[in-house]
């Protein structure tokens, strides 16, 4: 499983590929060194799912590990409702839905399909507003895009140059620990 990709890293890769390298470097460290308010709120919001304390229908899947040998990805789903055959990814707040978040949902979808679970609907659930946001199932072109993206993730080399995006860097939890920029983090 050396080349399997964690689903949780897909959005991070789009934000900044180097952040995944930094995450691996600092993952054994105290999170208070780099976690900011948004990550703390996200972790708290996810706690009910991770501890399987969320309200769900009988037999729904909550915080279940998933894997796809075809795509060589693994992770966890937040919630799958059998009654509506809906895969739901919970987020504390969604001002925008980023492509990486869509990739995460697609990855979970592909894993469930490979595991023989029928998924007919995808959605994000915004906890802060109690709002369900439907997402279209991926089509053939989306699948090609997803496969291409996974290839790009696998080929990434952390020693290569990165494009510095000042706005992204300022909001990166690893900003003050990053050796590729000299930008101050907004969370200080």
């Amino acid at each position: 499983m050396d080349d399997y990709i964690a689903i949780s890293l897909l959005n991070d890769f789009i934000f900044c590929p180097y952040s995944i390298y930094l995450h691996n470097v600092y993952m054994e460290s105290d999170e208070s060194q780099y976690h900011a308010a948004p990550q703390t709120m996200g972790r708290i919001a996810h706690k009910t799912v991770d501890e399987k304390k969320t309200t769900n229908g009988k037999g729904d899947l909550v915080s279940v590990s998933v894997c796809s040998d075809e795509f060589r990805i693994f992770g966890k789903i937040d919630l799958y409702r059998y009654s509506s055959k809906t895969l739901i990814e919970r987020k504390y707040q969604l001002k925008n839905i980023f492509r990486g978040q869509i990739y995460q949902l697609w990855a979970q979808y592909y894993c469930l399909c490979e595991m023989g679970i029928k998924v007919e609907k995808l959605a994000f659930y915004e906890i802060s507003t109690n709002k369900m946001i439907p997402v279209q199932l991926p089509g053939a072109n989306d699948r090609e895009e997803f496969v291409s993206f996974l290839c790009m993730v696998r080929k990434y080399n952390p020693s290569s140059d990165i494009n510095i995006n000042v706005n992204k860097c300022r909001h990166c939890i690893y900003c003050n620990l990053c050796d590729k920029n000299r930008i101050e983090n907004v969370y200080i």
Side-chain angles (χ1 to χ4, degrees), residues 14-111:
I14 288 178
F15 180 80
C16 174
Y18 195 63
S19 72
I20 294 171
Y21 167 76
L22 293 172
H23 175 75
N24 285 309
V25 168
Y26 292 106
M27 77 175 153
E28 297 297 323
S29 303
D30 178 9
E31 287 180 352
S32 66
Q33 286 184 9
Y34 55 86
H35 264 205
Q39 290 76 32
T40 302
M41 290 300 294
R43 181 160 301 226
I44 291 168
H46 240 270
K47 191 173 184 174
T48 57
V49 170
D50 294 338
E51 294 177 358
K52 300 185 181 188
K53 293 180 181 176
T54 187
T55 305
N56 63 309
K58 186 175 182 178
D60 287 347
L61 300 178
V62 178
S63 189
V64 172
S65 295
V66 294
C67 180
S68 167
D69 291 327
E70 177 184 354
F71 293 99
R72 298 184 331 270
I73 53 178
F74 70 96
K76 277 191 175 184
I77 63 162
D78 286 351
L79 176 63
Y80 173 78
R81 294 208 183 277
Y82 274 107
S83 60
S84 60
K85 296 181 178 48
T86 305
L87 173 62
I88 302 166
E89 173 69 15
R90 294 166 45 106
K91 300 289 184 191
Y92 179 73
Q93 190 172 38
L94 284 169
K95 292 179 184 174
N96 299 303
I97 296 176
F98 296 102
R99 198 67 178 165
Q101 292 168 319
I102 297 289
Y103 288 158
Q104 287 177 314
L105 196 55
W106 288 355
Q108 295 169 16
Y109 164 78
Y110 290 130
C111 287

Side-chain angles (χ1 to χ4, degrees), residues 77-182:
I77 63 162
D78 286 351
L79 176 63
Y80 173 78
R81 294 208 183 277
Y82 274 107
S83 60
S84 60
K85 296 181 178 48
T86 305
L87 173 62
I88 302 166
E89 173 69 15
R90 294 166 45 106
K91 300 289 184 191
Y92 179 73
Q93 190 172 38
L94 284 169
K95 292 179 184 174
N96 299 303
I97 296 176
F98 296 102
R99 198 67 178 165
Q101 292 168 319
I102 297 289
Y103 288 158
Q104 287 177 314
L105 196 55
W106 288 355
Q108 295 169 16
Y109 164 78
Y110 290 130
C111 287
L112 285 178
C113 290
E114 188 173 317
M115 294 167 65
I117 296 171
K118 178 102 171 120
V119 179
E120 294 179 356
K121 298 177 193 169
L122 303 177
F124 287 105
Y125 172 70
E126 186 176 37
I127 296 166
S128 64
T129 62
N130 193 29
K131 189 165 98 179
M132 194 72 74
I133 304 160
V135 174
Q136 288 210 322
L137 292 172
N141 290 339
D142 298 325
R143 183 183 178 91
E144 286 180 30
E145 176 187 333
F146 184 69
V147 168
S148 177
F149 174 71
L150 292 176
C151 288
M152 189 171 54
V153 172
R154 286 190 174 87
K155 290 178 183 176
Y156 177 72
N157 181 344
S159 65
S160 60
D161 289 336
I162 63 169
N163 293 325
I164 301 294
N165 178 323
V166 174
N167 190 41
K168 280 186 175 184
C169 289
R170 283 191 178 132
H171 290 88
C172 178
I173 61 174
Y174 301 109
C175 180
N176 296 329
L177 304 169
C178 182
D179 59 334
K180 303 252 185 194
N181 75 60
R182 300 282 178 246

